[in-house]
Amino acid sequence: MYSLADFYFHATAALPEIVLTVFGMIILLFGLVREDKSTPQVTLMTVSAFAVTALVIAAMPSEPFKGFMGSFIYDPFAQFMKLLVLMGGAACLAMTLSYNTQEKINRFEFPVLALFSTVGMMFIISANDLMLAYVGLELMSLPLYVLVSIRRDFLRSSEAGIKYFVLGALASGMILYGISLIYGFSGTINFTRLSETLALQDGVSITLSFGLIMLICGVAFKLSAVPFHMWTPDVYEGAPTSVTAFLAIAPKTAVFALLARILFDGFGDMTAQWQDVIWIIAAASMIVGAFAAIPQTSIKRLLAYSTIGHMGYALVGMTAASFDGVRSMIVYMALYMVMNIGVFAIVLMLRQNDRQTTDIDNLSGLGKTHPVVALMMTVLMFSMAGIPPLAGFFGKLFVFQAAVSAELYGLAVLGVLTSVVAAYYYLRIIKIMYFEEPIHVLDKPTRDLEVISGIATIFVVAFILFPQSLVNAAQAAATALVTI
Amino acid sequence: MIVEAIVFYMFSTILLLSGIMVISARNPVHSVLFLILGFFNAAGLFVLLGAEFLAMILVIVYVGAVAVLFLFVVMMLNVDMSRMRDNLKKNMTVAAVVGFVLLGELVWIFSNWHFSEDAELNVQTPFSAEDAMDNTRALGEVMYTDYMLFFQMAGLVLLVAMIGAITLTLRHRPGVKRQKINEQVNRQVKDVLRVEQVESGSGIV
Amino acid sequence: MGLIAVFLPLFSAIFAGALGRIIGDRATQAITCTFLCVAAIASIVMFNSVILEGNTETIKLMSWIKSGDLELNWALRFDTLSVVMLFVVNVVSAMVHIYSVGYMSHDKSKTRFMAYLGLFTFAMLMLVTSNNFVQLFFGWEGVGLASYLLIGFWHHKHSANAAAIKAFVVNRVGDFGLSLGIFAVFMLFGTLQFDPVFDQASEIAGTTFEFLGHQWDALTVTCFLLFIGAMGKSAQLGLHTWLPDAMEGPTPVSALIHAATMVTAGVFLVARLSPVFEYAPSVMEFITVIGALTALVAATIAITQHDIKRVIAYSTMSQLGYMFFALGVSAYGAAMFHLFTHAFFKALLFLGAGSVIHAMSDEQDMRNMGGIWKEIPITYAMMWIGSLALAGIPFFAGYYSKDMILEAVYADHSFVGNFAFWCGIAAAFLTAFYSWRLIIMTFHGKPRADEKVMAHIHESPPVMLFPLIILALGAILSGYIAYSWFVGEDRFEFWRDTLFILEGNDTVEAAHHVPSWVPILPFAIGLAGIAFGYLLYMFRKSWPQKIANTFKPVHTFLYKKWYFDELYHNAIVVPLIKFGYVFWKGGDKKIIDGLGPDGIANSVKEGAFQIRKIQTGFVYDYAYTMLAGVVIFITLFIVML
């Protein structure tokens, strides 16, 4: 059986999660005592807690290590993805500081909930069995449901929260159904055991494939991949923008890590079965992401479709089912995160008469009234559209390269075509900013948001000088997941 | 054996029927009552499987707490089911197609069901039958050791749910008078009593 | 030290560009000039340590691209060849920076000018110090960009804009060749780093590939493509038309970019790639012929032009021709030597011409000058020194290098060598002639400018004269000092292994053993040219007009620059425009736009609208969609089973 010493030994694998959770408790108590006026401190403490956790992760050895009866895995892949999530989460929280005060949603629970959600994300990144994955997903999602409806007096916010919650429950149902089918067939939910079981198996098990498809569908919901994307525009629009930013950045990376682990660690021997499913999801996401964004008038809805499209591109990397594919997917997610941090920082700046505005037409004339902001937005939009030599181009390039080398020519061509269509609405924003007369002058942006989006912009521009370092890091992470 | 089979089919049938009634009953209160019936039958199925602890938990938590709460909520909110039903009708065709195809496929899976050769090996039985340990004790043995991580994470989920519930519902209404015992006890005379010298002919300003 | 030499100009550019407006013109000029002077001093130190002491080194800055076989680094390669260029670029650039302080004193956007100059210098340094083809291409495009910006610096002038665009477009033709060449190198060698390419060149030589049913020698094609790039940048015959127009830019720009540095990038390229070009003898012959023709044609045009800067521009083109035919006969050392000396005296001539223009209130036409030598004696002296060096009068810099080139081509004893030799001799005569034509028309005779201008004439301020004097020292001394390093006895120690010459091709060695009339001939012909110039423009002033009238067709032909511009206009530009118009109206508008963008755009909008219709906002619709998705996937799975 299991002794306390065993537990401590295993717990070292989950040290970052434990550290962050303990911080979360302390911060929660601090907030409770000091109440809502302490929100700025609480936010900063949370960001520092993220930073400390990131340091812990960075300091940990990178040899793979399994704990808790093999259900928790710690390896370079987990290390890299957790760092990404923490970075994204910290950036998003830093962006909320002024916005939440202006919008009067500066509740101290906000950062605490975000923190616990991040703990959930870290668990799912490290999940080596389906139960941990499921509990992690719930731990990640529950705070998000609350955060989406945190502006509880606004109908849209509550509505978005309810929608997200109900559909999330449906997705959870699918995941659980899938898990029980998988367990029913194989008698295990541990990825390692599962792959061993599958390796001995000859022929395709229908039960298992059904379970896997259900599981993928449920996870795809969290990724907002088509056709499980329907919640995304409504929730993005209804949620306060600071929550939208968090929603768009951190969870996606974590869920991608989970999907990669399920597909490569657990079901690496069933590539033929899942490849077609992911192919369709990727293709549909790219198409919907490109087309549906065009008629949008709200920048938040537009970014929702943009996210859907980006998920499609990252899934192209997954479809390749190769080492290159995973590597390109990791790089793509890292770049996606940076670009979205920059863009959302700018969206958070868009205020008129001290009220958030999301109407794209209000961007008109930004080039004249706020040239610096407009310039940053231009660079980020170009990058999102995948125009060389900006970072977004490299992300797409790597993904398509992986697709081509896996002989997925159709998907690569589709990807290129949809990015052309998608470029239309990215460029339209630039056109509105520079070639249309200002209608309403926007408020002066706060300095912290300018700095954050400036850093993201510089990264996007300067990426061409050092693409190698990110690719190397992604390579190390992918090596842990896929044996070449 | 035959008794067991009869009981199983009885529980299953009532469970399915009450499930259907939950979504088709006109009165929402009836729906909740059918839900409770469903829970009972599911508990019965658990007992048949030898999982008496789960059965009890289901009855205590779901019937005793969750369903009763539902009942209160439904009664207080006065949900208009007929309007919801109209919406349902509008989408009936799509829903029916999707539902029946899914049903057909699920039936097909179960008719093709088989286990992996390793399944038996994979299903771990941590307790030998000789221990004659009861369910509750067995769960307790693993819950705080092997499944410590999940137990703690479930705790976190509950904590988050609690924070969330408070965040979304707690309101500090201004103007509501609350008893502040600390202030009452510490009240000093000089804080509340003021002695004024009043000159004759003028009032107190 | 190398890093200082390379990156200070970049800092200077960033500084002037970013902070220039804040700290003011004066401070910007002071700081950029200081930066450049420090960079120039650093290059002198580098010259000493790398070349004279032999500390060649390659500094790796960072890894750039690593993708499959392709591995590239940002690196600075300091060997003799690059340090010679480093020295030339930084010294001339520093002088031009200082000169610009005076020359641009009436201009409004001084900081922008300084920033562009810094940018150009940095790009040029990246070009010459690169250790691989791609960084070279980066620098190559960088100087192209800076050149474009500087030619069009006075963007309010229509002609300046047109010239800038022309320079850019013509260079693009060359760059296209260059990039194809780089692709070909990667195809053939599997790498783009210089050293591995050089090492493999002898093995690759002789490989062929089939194209259009003909076996082509791979290395020949590659070198030819690379040379197309060099032709564009160095304004060789055919791709030269942009250079005279580029004179629309401010004169310091002409001195720096279109005389001393950028236009010599092609020469540098061929010299740098000598280990590859050596194995492509037919390309080498082609280079010789092109170089020789350029030298002669440019010189013939120069004798008829009236714009003082255009004369010097054609002279530059002609001298570049010399360098190229020297390269063509494997006399890389001689070509680099001429590049080195030419940088000094041609920059001197341009800056001197700038000084004249400055004195004449921005008059550039020589027909409106004359009789001003007493007013601006120092400038006059400087122009003399520059012209003497250009004409190859003994003991001035050009004498050593130009003679060396002519001896080398003579010593090649091949048909193309002889052709180049006689073209060179003819060009030398013309060079001397148009140089003195320029001096006499500009400085002597009766003043032809109006009184207002004449009243204004003044010697340039010291800040403009100082660079002139430094460059004049270079024009006088550089040939004498550097002769033995570049082409004399010390040349093997000097070049080390940066220049590669196949056995039996060493024309520089052979050049030391030519008949004694060969070295004397250029000098004699130069003197004749000077005398002829004096005769026609000083003593028999009516003759030039008479000659022009007598040989009217020839004169017009030369005056119209051999009708190159017209030829290109009629043969390429006009048909292209017509062609494009047809395609635009018929192909693009009707067929492609109709079915393509417009059609697609409409269907895209329609599709987008359809997708939006599904997005009803009702939760149950969303749930249906999700379930439908699951059902579709499962059905597909069953179907494909």
Side-chain angles (χ1 to χ4, degrees), chain A residues 269-277:
Chain A
D269 287 302
M270 285 178 61
T271 316
Q273 275 73 48
W274 59 256
Q275 207 173 16
D276 293 333
V277 178

Side-chain angles (χ1 to χ4, degrees), chain B residues 139-190:
Chain B
L139 274 173
E141 291 266 345
V142 288
M143 179 90 87
Y144 302 106
T145 53
D146 290 355
Y147 292 92
M148 179 68 176
L149 181 63
F150 302 102
F151 182 69
Q152 290 291 347
M153 280 177 69
L156 266 185
V157 172
L158 291 179
L159 173 69
V160 166
M162 194 170 75
I163 301 173
I166 294 171
T167 311
L168 291 183
T169 52
L170 181 67
R171 282 172 200 277
H172 300 282
R173 284 200 187 79
V176 177
K177 293 204 165 127
R178 286 200 171 81
Q179 191 178 25
K180 293 173 184 159
I181 296 167
N182 194 29
E183 279 180 24
Q184 288 172 355
V185 171
N186 286 329
R187 208 149 94 134
Q188 301 281 321
V189 175
K190 63 177 186 326

Side-chain angles (χ1 to χ4, degrees), chain A residues 163 167 170 174 209-210 213 217 221 227-228 230 233-234 276 280-281 291-292 294-295 301 305 464-465 467-468, chain C residues 62-66 604-605 608 611-612 614-615 617 619 622-623 625-626 629-630 633-634 636-638 640:
Chain A
K163 269 184 194 163
L167 295 174
L170 183 61
M174 287 180 191
S209 309
F210 270 52
I213 291 174
C217 291
F221 169 85
F228 311 100
M230 304 289 277
D234 292 6
D276 293 333
I280 296 171
I281 295 181
F291 283 79
I294 291 172
R301 280 188 93 84
Y305 285 108
I464 185 178
L465 299 176
Q468 207 52 47
Chain C
M62 60 170 117
S63 172
W64 186 12
I65 300 171
K66 200 165 160 191
V604 161
K605 277 187 185 154
I611 290 180
R612 195 164 64 158
I614 307 172
Q615 199 78 27
V619 176
Y622 295 180
T625 320
M626 285 173 67
V630 175
F633 287 132
I634 293 178
L636 271 178
F637 171 73
I638 294 172
M640 291 202 283

Side-chain angles (χ1 to χ4, degrees), chain A residues 178-238:
Chain A
I179 292 176
S180 35
L181 285 177
I182 292 165
Y183 183 76
F185 168 76
S186 65
T188 181
I189 47 171
N190 185 291
F191 293 155
T192 320
R193 283 295 302 134
L194 206 53
S195 63
E196 283 162 11
T197 307
L198 290 180
L200 298 173
Q201 183 82 25
D202 41 80
V204 186
S205 158
I206 296 165
T207 323
L208 197 59
S209 309
F210 270 52
L212 181 58
I213 291 174
M214 284 285 195
L215 184 59
I216 291 176
C217 291
V219 173
F221 169 85
K222 305 282 177 193
L223 283 181
S224 61
V226 180
F228 311 100
H229 68 288
M230 304 289 277
W231 59 277
T232 320
D234 292 6
V235 171
Y236 271 36
E237 194 184 21

Side-chain angles (χ1 to χ4, degrees), chain B residues 8 16 49-50 62 115 127 144 152 155 167 169 185 190 197 199:
Chain B
F8 172 79
L16 284 176
L49 285 170
Y62 281 85
F115 291 102
F127 309 105
Y144 302 106
Q152 290 291 347
T167 311
T169 52
V185 171
K190 63 177 186 326
Q197 288 287 329
E199 276 178 41

